[in-house]
């Protein structure tokens, strides 16, 4: 039977038209055809289960989460344990020295979202990040000055205090084990560290910790992190205080003094994770729950999907020029508002209700021509003066039906590049997500307004979009999220559309090629071999411009729940170490 199934899969792949009726398909299907040379054709494993499901960017972290669920832990317990485990096995993005966001839905329908985003240190005034002429420098990208006050440990502790059921130490223990006893180095860990060696080895503690013997750890060797194990043991014993006021706080402040970093004891003591009201909106009778500011994810997703709701994408067909055109025009308009209005809600007034309203979406929809590309100049309100990333997302559902979508990050791969000496973990470079000066692009090419201006105690605007979808019948339907900077928002939107509009199964919805548009630059970004020439030329005829860096976008972790309770999980094949496992 298995042989027959794989034969069938190969035959379908060869026909380059994977079915949309596999596990997790919505029942209503639309013809799905991928471009001829598209790499991902539904052959990677999926997770199946009836009790619980964990999908993360690293198979060992997925296993940690599944063990916690099987030991009787709930989805939040598993999320805490996975958060710590990824900090060990995925040092480019999993972290103690970064921050993130979690969206939760309890089995009883209660929803919540936690903001554990980094904060700018009290001394982080804009002038520190500009040169004598007032032009932004690269100080927000590499080194000590780029580091925001980390939120991850406070976030995981807050999740546990509010919703956890197992003892805290039991949730940190698997990470301590991985750090102390080591784990096998994968291709991608080796490749990632080797590629960034020239930047990372300039920092002593980074070189000593991650380049033993002067080189990136070899594929297949065992990699131990004793200093990190010690840090985790203190966090297990003393909770978040170990990090924000104990020995680890001392080590962070000492590390700051080694460079020109700004974080003080006071900054660390003041840090809080904040519960915020999630962004909740309807899309084709489904309820979508996503992250509010200081992430732009939920508002931008809502604005784009609200515009798209007025078009019959299913009838237009997946990846047809007409459908792609409408996606692009919706993303363009949503990003214009994102870049202009959004910032830290504790410091700026944001018209969230208006931006996410159906009436506003209708006004924007009326400005879209069906056959002519708009120009971003018509929508952009931030004057433009000038023109290797990593984050990680995981999705978890437990046997009660509680769900957690959590995305956290160091911003760039390995963040600022700075490891805290004797504490063994990387610090973020999240200050680059701020506007250093309005009109100047950050590393993602985002041109943002003063609403997101760097300033003491502020949280930088994010694109992270952990998202949960509830079916028209009020049942959990899907849990998803991704890394990718601004491409997170468009990847999450397209994954939701793939399931709801096109009826794709869990694997096809994740494998399908993605496009991206973020207002500026005014061009459609396409993935490697992600669009047929015929589609491209129709879109060019509409007036669209294109760019491709030859890369793939995002690393979606998707869980779909069927009405009968069956769970399907798929980890994005675009990055190799991920895995979804259920039971
Ligand atoms: O919060 C944000 O939007 C960025 N710091 C996320 C960076 C990211 O996703 C890089 N990943 N590939």
């Amino acid at each position: 039977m298995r042989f027959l199934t794989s034969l069938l899969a190969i035959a379908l792949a060869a026909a380059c038209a994977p079915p949309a009726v596999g596990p997790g398909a919505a029942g209503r299907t639309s013809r799905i055809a991928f471009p001829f040379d598209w790499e991902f054709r539904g052959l990677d494993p999926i997770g199946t289960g009836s009790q619980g499901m964990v999908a993360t960017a690293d198979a060992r972290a997925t296993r940690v989460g599944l063990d916690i669920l099987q030991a009787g832990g709930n989805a939040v317990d598993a999320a805490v344990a996975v958060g710590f485990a990824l900090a060990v096995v995925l040092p480019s993005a999993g972290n103690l020295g970064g921050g993130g966001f979690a969206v939760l839905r309890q089995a009883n329908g209660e929803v919540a979202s936690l903001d554990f985003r980094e904060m700018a240190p009290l001394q982080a005034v804009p002038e520190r990040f500009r040169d004598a002429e007032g032009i932004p420098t690269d100080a927000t990208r590499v080194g000590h000055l780029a580091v925001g006050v980390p939120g991850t440990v406070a976030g995981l502790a807050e999740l546990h205090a509010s919703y956890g059921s197992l003892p805290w130490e039991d949730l940190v223990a698997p990470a301590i084990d991985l750090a102390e006893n080591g784990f096998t180095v994968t291709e991608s860990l080796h490749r990632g560290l080797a590629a960034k060696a020239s930047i990372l080895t300039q920092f002593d503690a980074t070189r000593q910790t991650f380049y033993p013997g002067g080189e990136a750890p070899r594929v297949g060797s065992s990699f131990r992190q004793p200093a990190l194990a010690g840090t985790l043991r203190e966090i297990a014993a003393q909770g978040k205080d170990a990090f924000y006021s104990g020995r680890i706080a001392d080590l962070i402040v000492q590390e700051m003094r080694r460079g020109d970093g700004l974080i003080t004891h006071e900054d660390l003591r003041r840090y809080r994770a904040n519960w915020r009201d999630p962004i909740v909106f309807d899309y084709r009778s489904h309820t979508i729950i996503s992250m509010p500011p200081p992430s732009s994810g939920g508002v931008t997703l809502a604005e784009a999907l609200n515009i798209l709701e007025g078009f019959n994408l299913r009838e237009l067909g997946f990846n047809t020029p007409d459908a792609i055109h409408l996606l692009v025009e919706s993303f363009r308009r949503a990003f214009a508002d994102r870049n202009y209005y959004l910032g830290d809600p504790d410091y700026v007034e944001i018209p969230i209700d208006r931006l996410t309203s159906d009436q506003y979406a209708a006004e924007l929809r009326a400005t879209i021509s069906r056959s002519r590309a708009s120009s971003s100049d018509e929508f952009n309100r931030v004057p433009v003066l000038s023109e290797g990333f990593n984050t990680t997302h995981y999705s978890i559902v437990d046997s009660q039906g509680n769900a957690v979508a959590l995305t956290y990050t160091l911003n760039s791969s390995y963040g600022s590049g700075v490891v805290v000496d004797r504490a063994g973990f990387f610090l973020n470079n999240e200050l680059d997500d701020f506007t250093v000066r309005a009109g100047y692009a950050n590393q993602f090419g985002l041109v943002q307004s003063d609403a997101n201006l760097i300033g003491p105690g502020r949280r930088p605007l994010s694109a992270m979009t952990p998202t949960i979808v509830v079916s028209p019948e009020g049942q959990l339907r899907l849990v998803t999220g991704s890394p990718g900077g601004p491409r997170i928002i468009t990847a999450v939107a397209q994954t939701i559309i793939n399931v709801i509009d096109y009826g794709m199964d869990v694997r096809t919805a994740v494998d399908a090629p993605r496009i991206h548009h973020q207002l500026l630059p005014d061009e459609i970004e396409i993935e490697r071999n992600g669009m047929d020439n015929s589609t491209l030329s129709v879109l060019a005829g509409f007036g669209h411009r294109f760019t491709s860096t030859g890369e793939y976008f995002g690393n979606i972790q998707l869980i779909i729940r069927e009405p009968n309770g069956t769970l399907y999980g798929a980890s994005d094949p675009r990055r190799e170490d991920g895995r979804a496992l259920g039971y």
Side-chain angles (χ1 to χ4, degrees), residues 88 176 178-182 208-209 223-234 247 422-424:
V88 180
I176 297 175
L178 286 161
E180 191 151 78
N181 298 316
Q208 285 151 16
T209 309
F223 184 57
R224 294 191 172 79
Q225 299 173 79
L228 180 58
T231 294
L232 287 164
R233 222 179 278 110
E234 283 166 32
R247 187 187 74 105
R422 286 177 291 149

Side-chain angles (χ1 to χ4, degrees), residues 101 117 338 388-392 409-413 430 433 443-444 461-464 482-486 488 575:
F101 302 100
R117 183 72 161 165
R338 175 205 184 277
F389 319 125
N390 226 325
T391 294
T392 193
T409 188
L410 292 165
N411 195 18
S412 302
S413 270
E430 221 70 60
D433 278 349
Q443 67 167 339
F444 296 107
L461 188 64
S462 171
M464 290 188 271
S482 177
I488 294 172
R575 300 198 197 170

Side-chain angles (χ1 to χ4, degrees), residues 154-358:
L156 297 180
E158 184 59 39
L159 285 173
H160 180 257
S162 299
Y163 293 96
S165 70
L166 296 183
W168 169 254
E169 312 80 75
D170 294 1
L171 306 179
V172 191
I176 297 175
D177 179 49
L178 286 161
E180 191 151 78
N181 298 316
F183 60 89
T184 306
V185 174
T186 60
E187 279 281 335
S188 62
L189 175 59
H190 171 80
R191 225 186 302 123
L193 284 168
K196 288 203 110 174
S198 62
I199 297 172
L200 299 181
T201 54
Q202 62 182 301
F203 304 106
D204 290 342
T206 311
R207 191 176 59 247
Q208 285 151 16
T209 309
F210 287 96
Y211 298 85
E215 291 193 347
R218 282 199 319 279
V219 179
S221 66
S222 174
F223 184 57
R224 294 191 172 79
Q225 299 173 79
L228 180 58
T231 294
L232 287 164
R233 222 179 278 110
E234 283 166 32
I235 292 171
Q238 301 158 34
K240 72 173 166 52
D241 290 349
F243 191 92
Y244 293 95
S245 54
R247 187 187 74 105
I248 305 164
D250 294 342
L251 293 175
I252 293 172
V253 172
Q254 281 166 28
E255 186 58 52
M256 288 292 108
R257 293 199 186 115
R258 227 164 270 136
D260 43 8
L262 302 177
I263 298 174
T264 61
H265 278 292
E266 188 188 354
D267 285 313
L268 289 163
R269 258 197 318 272
R270 283 167 49 110
Y271 187 84
R272 297 281 176 278
N274 294 325
W275 291 102
R276 307 217 182 242
D277 293 335
I279 300 292
V280 180
F281 64 100
D282 289 340
Y283 181 68
R284 303 201 202 281
S285 307
H286 293 66
T287 306
I288 303 199
I289 305 139
S290 192
M291 195 66 213
S295 182
S296 64
V299 172
T300 315
L301 182 71
E303 203 173 315
L305 290 182
N306 283 341
I307 298 172
L308 287 166
E309 198 172 17
F311 299 108
N312 191 338
L313 293 178
R314 201 169 110 72
E315 205 169 270
L316 294 175
F318 171 74
N319 239 3
T320 56
D322 290 331
I324 293 172
H325 170 69
L326 295 175
L327 286 177
V328 166
E329 293 304 330
S330 305
F331 293 153
R332 184 198 311 280
R333 286 156 178 77
F335 268 89
D337 285 330
R338 175 205 184 277
N339 295 356
Y340 182 68
Y341 287 111
L342 303 195
D344 182 341
D346 295 341
Y347 291 83
V348 291
E349 203 66 53
I350 304 172
I352 291 188
D353 290 342
R354 186 166 77 84
L355 295 178
T356 59
S357 73
D358 288 334

